[in-house]
Amino acid sequence: ELVIGDHRVNLNDRVAELEDHQLVQLLADQRLELDGAQRRIARHRGREPGVLDRLLDDQTTLFHMAGHTSVAGSVKDPLTDFEANVSATLNVLESVRKTGARLIFPSSAAVFAPDQSLPLAETSLKRPSSPYGAAKAACEGYVQAYFA
């Protein structure tokens, strides 16, 4: 359970169809406690360079979970998947670099070879089998390069 006390929380959500109160409820349903925290909800697709610069500073920790998550959608339209995942992540990384914010980047099991037994480890063989998995693997590479 993640409890956020008196910290400022910026929620960066690309799910434009959710109202603010629905997003807060979604986070609460996932056991994320935001009561008592300052929070701002920013909506964008992450594809616009610099859009996060005004929301981040060196006291911010950004959980970057935006992007397309559909394997089938990535097969149907790999360019849109690339833009939504890799290009958006590169824009996030540039904003984090410029502002001094901290980044938490959860990836996906789609980066791993599909025929491996569970549980997977960070050291398990990475061999994406979809454009989505390849995009997430590319994002991991960019994150590692920025923080090397």
Side-chain angles (χ1 to χ4, degrees):
E1 181 173 331
L2 175 63
V3 177
I4 303 170
D6 293 326
H7 304 284
R8 184 181 69 213
V9 178
N10 293 315
L11 302 174
N12 181 30
D13 171 43
R14 70 166 205 80
V15 186
E17 63 270 14
L18 289 181
E19 297 293 328
D20 290 355
H21 72 277
Q22 291 172 309
L23 180 59
V24 171
Q25 184 59 51
L26 175 67
L27 293 171
D29 291 346
Q30 298 299 315
R31 303 180 63 90
L32 295 173
E33 175 63 53
L34 295 178
D35 290 341
Q38 296 176 13
R39 57 183 177 256
R40 290 184 288 184
I41 299 175
R43 299 195 184 276
H44 71 86
R45 296 184 181 274
R47 298 180 197 169
E48 303 87 15
V51 74
L52 287 176
D53 294 359
R54 63 184 169 76
L55 297 174
L56 303 178
D57 60 33
D58 63 357
Q59 300 299 307
T60 305
T61 299
L62 174 68
F63 290 78
H64 175 45
M65 299 186 295
H68 286 175
T69 60
S70 169
V71 171
S74 76
V75 172
K76 183 177 180 179
D77 189 357
L79 288 176
T80 296
D81 183 77
F82 179 88
E83 289 174 5
N85 288 307
V86 181
S87 295
T89 296
L90 190 55
N91 287 332
V92 165
L93 287 167
E94 275 297 293
S95 290
V96 165
R97 182 186 60 78
K98 287 190 278 187
T99 63
R102 290 169 303 282
L103 176 70
I104 295 177
F105 175 75
S107 189
S108 169
V111 302
F112 296 108
D115 55 352
Q116 295 183 85
S117 61
L118 298 176
L120 296 169
E122 291 288 328
T123 56
S124 297
L125 176 65
K126 292 185 180 176
R127 191 179 70 229
S129 61
S130 68
Y132 170 72
K136 294 303 277 190
C139 292
E140 286 184 6
Y142 274 107
V143 169
Q144 289 173 350
Y146 266 71
F147 296 103

